[in-house]
Amino acid sequence: MANGVLAITEQRDGKFRKVAYEVVSEGRRIADGLSGPLTVVVMGAALGALAEEIKAFGADTILVLDDPALADYRTDAYTNALAACLPAADPAVVLLGATAQGKDLAARLAARLNAGLAMDCTAVRVQSGSVICTRPMFGGKLFADVTIQGTPQIIAVRPNVMPIQRAAREAAVDTPAVETGEVKTAVVEKLMDAGGKVELTEAEVIVSGGRGTGGNFQPLEELAAALGGAVGASRSAVDEGWRKHGDQVGQTGRVVSPALYIACGISGAIQHLAGMSTSKVIVALNKDPEAPIFAKADYGIVGDIFQLLPAITAAVQKIKS
Amino acid sequence: MNIVVLVKQVPDTESLVQIAADGKSIKKDDIKWVMNPYDELAVEEALRIKEAKGGSVTVVSVGPQKAQETLRTALAMGADKGVHVNDPAAEGGDPLATAKILAAAVKGLPYDLIICGQRAVDEDNYQVGAAVAEFLGIPHISIVAKAEVLDGRIRCHRSIEGGTVVVEAPLPALFTTQRGLNEPRYASLPGIMKAKKKPIEVKTIADLGLDPATVGAAGRKVVIQALRLPPERKAVRMIPGDTPAAAAEELVRILHTEAKLI
Ligand SMILES: Cc1cc2nc3c(=O)[nH]c(=O)nc-3n(C[C@H](O)[C@H](O)[C@H](O)COP(=O)(O)OP(=O)(O)OC[C@H]3O[C@@H](n4cnc5c(N)ncnc54)[C@H](O)[C@@H]3O)c2cc1C
Ligand SMILES: Nc1ncnc2c1ncn2[C@@H]1O[C@H](COP(=O)(O)O)[C@@H](O)[C@H]1O
């Protein structure tokens, strides 16, 4: 009978993404709730000893799928490889991160297995043996508690939400034969942003700017740098050509969940809130005391961002030094 | 190029979405319904490809009678024909159930390329596209900000965290849209007039040869137990200050010592 949890990690260039630790930690909690084992899957090519790094987070078994065909994420190769090794593990729950990769893989895998999938969940709990997932819908205007019938129950969790928790165990590492099957898609090029920046969905702090920046994001960049965070944008700022599409937060942009979201010169339109309302703490800086963003914020200052931001950055630097 | 676009009618993003008496669904009456914004990108992209390469654009939707408005909008933008799966048995499905219907509807059409939204901004499921592709046995590429049709292949710029990967797949294939792909056109008045005469084929679950028990609400695997409002935040704490510098320092002090975020 289906039992326990299979958690699929995500790595890039031989390094786990933050969401991998979140998924394994959450996987451990769900597995404990179900009194079942946690199997962790590490996928890629030339992985070396990468699997060792995840041991500290509580896996019972680690499945390493190491194959040249898995070098870059490709839906078909990854789905085929997973579908081939799932029956042996027979998990009750398959868990992964709702990243660009995870959402894509979860959706295709769910269809392959004819299994129910709860996408982009912000909470998962086990109650008398059944798993209940909470997922925001309608751009976060409502939260739904959902259950999934049949097995496996596939759950994709929103990045930056699940707490990372260490739980050392003796994990057995298994390297099954990898079956990638027929692969039709090919990655022909990778156009990555300059390195060294914190990724928006992984950032603990996001300093986000709107039309009120007038296109000058320099003071936001400086505060983000002081806080080790990332810079986001409203759709207006993107439409103006001030920031790239990948920076857009909202209903037609990225959905983010940082510990701290600082909205600078953003009015707080409902479509913007859709992308950041699950941030833990929201700070609004706006010169208009009536701006709707204040109603959704934890802390607010009425003022000009070009006066406030340099002062905030200076105060942060003082604390940090 | 025969292109199929999947379009869904969703509540306007400005709408107040309220929980119905059953606690598990939303009140549908007072809502303004629109085409899912990501599907507008899909229709636009299909029209541009058709304009460049020739062929046809067929739009397909599963939904109640009202959903035909969305098909008409797409026809007014320039699509050639519509297919509307309108059957009570098709309603209330989860993404997998809906994808089964869509795949069955698309199977009966000539297609080289299918385009759909990355997510519908109602339940934000991000699922139907991949599932339709799987059921049709064709490759898919999701979250695409730029697409080029090459000889027998599609090359897509797929947005991922921290950049873009360029992925190719042989046709027939499906891709899902990302903002930045294009700026959708508005339907022109002549377009709206012409759309009235364009055909919309209406189909039922039986027409598609599907078992009603596997689709719609009956086929749901993901069951909504309860809807609720998101947890409320405490009232905003406005930070005063005689000068911007004083307010800024107070904010940082609070974030450091009270919220412990710095
Ligand atoms: C279908 C649809 C989808 C959408 N999706 C998104 C989305 O994903 N993300 C998104 O963000 N929007 C989205 N929008 C757009 C949204 O409705 C708003 O238009 C947009 O968020 C407004 O951006 P803004 O707050 O930057 O600009 P504005 O609304 O123009 O607000 C600018 C704010 O800056 C303040 N300001 C100006 N100067 C200063 C200064 N010097 N100091 C301090 N404050 C200042 C002003 O008081 C004002 O509050 C969508 C809209 C639609 C219809
Ligand atoms: N009922 C439907 N009719 C037609 N297309 C749909 C329907 N539901 C979803 N889609 C398509 O699938 C995309 C993703 O939807 P979802 O997976 O529900 O977020 C949408 O943007 C549409 O293109």
Side-chain angles (χ1 to χ4, degrees):
Chain A
M1 212 188 81
N3 187 17
V5 177
L6 182 115
I8 303 167
T9 59
E10 187 172 332
Q11 57 84 27
R12 214 187 264 174
D13 304 325
K15 282 205 188 78
F16 282 120
R17 302 202 53 217
K18 186 176 168 198
V19 74
Y21 302 106
E22 295 166 6
V23 162
V24 175
S25 302
E26 189 62 23
R28 183 71 260 164
R29 284 187 285 271
I30 300 170
D32 288 345
L34 294 171
S35 309
L38 171 64
T39 306
V40 169
V41 181
V42 181
M43 303 177 80
L47 291 168
L50 186 66
E52 292 300 316
E53 281 174 40
I54 210 79
K55 278 191 171 167
F57 298 86
D60 295 295
T61 309
I62 302 178
L63 285 183
V64 181
L65 304 183
D66 195 332
D67 190 280
L70 301 177
D72 290 311
Y73 173 71
R74 289 179 297 169
T75 312
D76 37 12
Y78 272 59
T79 306
N80 295 346
L82 274 169
C85 69
L86 263 167
D90 196 19
V93 171
V94 171
L95 195 69
L96 63 181
T99 56
Q101 172 176 320
K103 285 195 286 238
D104 184 78
L105 178 58
R108 188 89 192 202
L109 189 65
R112 174 77 49 91
L113 304 174
N114 195 25
L117 159 60
M119 190 68 97
D120 206 19
C121 298
T122 53
V124 183
R125 63 180 200 274
V126 182
Q127 198 174 299
S128 4
S130 68
V131 183
I132 303 169
C133 308
T134 300
R135 48 184 313 269
M137 300 197 320
F138 299 94
K141 286 178 200 165
L142 295 179
F143 277 27
D145 287 329
V146 304
T147 53
I148 304 168
Q149 287 177 346
T151 51
Q153 308 170 61
I154 306 182
I155 303 171
V157 294
R158 180 170 291 186
N160 240 357
V161 172
M162 305 302 167
I164 295 172
Q165 211 171 352
R166 289 182 177 264
R169 292 201 175 209
E170 271 313 305
V173 177
D174 190 6
T175 49
V178 181
E179 294 167 45
T180 49
E182 191 193 6
V183 180
K184 290 183 175 165
T185 55
V187 173
V188 294
E189 207 181 343
K190 289 187 248 182
L191 310 163
M192 302 311 288
D193 302 342
K197 293 235 160 140
V198 186
E199 213 290 307
L200 210 52
T201 48
E202 293 186 353
E204 285 295 316
V205 180
I206 294 175
V207 183
S208 211
R211 202 187 293 284
T213 62
N216 179 6
F217 273 72
Q218 193 56 35
L220 286 79
E221 295 280 6
E222 283 165 12
L223 178 56
L227 291 167
V231 173
S234 76
R235 170 148 155 186
S236 299
V238 171
D239 285 346
E240 293 288 349
W242 301 336
R243 303 295 296 189
K244 55 185 173 26
H245 284 286
D247 292 346
Q248 181 184 320
V249 171
Q251 199 144 22
T252 48
R254 311 284 290 278
V255 177
V256 297
S257 241
L260 176 59
Y261 189 89
I262 307 180
C264 311
I266 292 177
S267 60
I270 189 86
Q271 298 91 352
H272 186 79
L273 300 173
M276 43 66 86
S277 60
T278 55
S279 304
K280 275 128 250 160
V281 170
I282 297 171
V283 172
L285 311 178
N286 198 301
K287 67 178 182 189
D288 174 9
E290 305 296 325
I293 188 77
F294 287 124
K296 297 290 167 193
D298 299 285
Y299 303 101
I301 304 180
V302 177
D304 183 340
I305 55 167
F306 294 105
Q307 298 186 323
L308 291 169
L309 285 169
I312 294 171
T313 305
V316 169
Q317 282 165 343
K318 208 162 101 192
I319 285 178
K320 297 234 165 174
S321 67
Chain B
M1 283 288 286
N2 293 308
I3 308 171
V4 171
V5 183
L6 311 180
V7 293
K8 187 177 194 192
Q9 194 177 43
V10 298
D12 184 285
T13 51
E14 295 283 346
S15 328
L16 177 67
V17 186
Q18 289 177 296
I19 302 166
D22 67 358
K24 298 176 181 187
S25 59
I26 60 158
K27 289 188 192 161
K28 299 217 162 117
D29 303 339
D30 297 331
I31 285 178
K32 181 180 162 208
W33 296 86
V34 298
M35 188 192 299
N36 181 38
Y38 285 106
D39 302 354
E40 293 178 346
L41 299 172
V43 173
E44 177 63 38
E45 197 62 16
L47 294 175
R48 289 187 191 191
I49 296 172
K50 179 190 149 179
E51 282 155 13
K53 311 246 165 192
S56 70
V57 176
T58 305
V59 284
V60 181
S61 192
V62 176
Q65 186 57 33
K66 225 178 148 25
Q68 227 171 74
E69 299 162 1
T70 290
L71 288 171
R72 286 279 169 221
T73 304
L75 296 177
M77 286 170 77
D80 300 296
K81 71 176 228 193
V83 175
H84 182 194
V85 183
N86 181 2
D87 189 325
E91 293 305 302
D94 63 8
L96 216 52
T98 302
K100 279 177 196 157
I101 302 172
L102 285 165
V106 173
K107 221 171 242 167
L109 301 167
Y111 66 90
D112 304 297
L113 179 64
I114 304 171
I115 313 179
C116 70
Q118 61 162 267
R119 73 201 203 235
V121 301
D122 47 12
E123 291 194 15
D124 295 316
N125 280 313
Y126 302 84
Q127 265 181 72
V128 166
V132 168
E134 172 68 22
F135 295 145
L136 292 172
I138 62 172
H140 85 265
I141 304 170
S142 59
I143 323 189
V144 171
K146 181 176 167 196
E148 287 168 89
V149 177
L150 308 171
D151 195 22
R153 284 172 300 148
I154 181 118
R155 175 184 290 171
C156 293
H157 286 232
R158 163 171 155 75
S159 305
I160 62 168
E161 294 84 2
T164 298
V165 283
V166 185
V167 185
E168 283 188 10
L171 296 175
L174 177 150
F175 75 84
T176 79
T177 60
Q178 160 78 335
R179 233 175 73 82
L181 184 64
N182 56 47
E183 277 306 323
R185 69 194 68 184
Y186 291 101
S188 65
L189 199 57
I192 295 170
M193 298 311 291
K194 264 198 231 156
K196 291 190 176 147
K197 295 200 203 77
K198 289 181 179 171
I200 294 182
E201 215 180 314
V202 180
K203 301 232 173 199
T204 62
I205 292 303
D207 293 339
L208 297 173
L210 292 167
D211 173 0
T214 61
V215 295
R220 260 195 110 96
K221 289 182 194 295
V222 179
V223 182
I224 298 181
Q225 301 295 346
L227 289 181
R228 54 197 161 84
L229 294 172
E232 270 198 61
R233 282 178 192 276
K234 280 201 241 121
V236 62
R237 180 160 155 200
M238 297 305 289
I239 296 166
D242 293 336
T243 62
E249 273 186 32
E250 176 61 3
L251 173 70
V252 173
R253 188 195 65 76
I254 291 170
L255 293 179
H256 177 56
T257 57
E258 293 179 25
K260 305 224 182 301
L261 286 164
I262 298 176

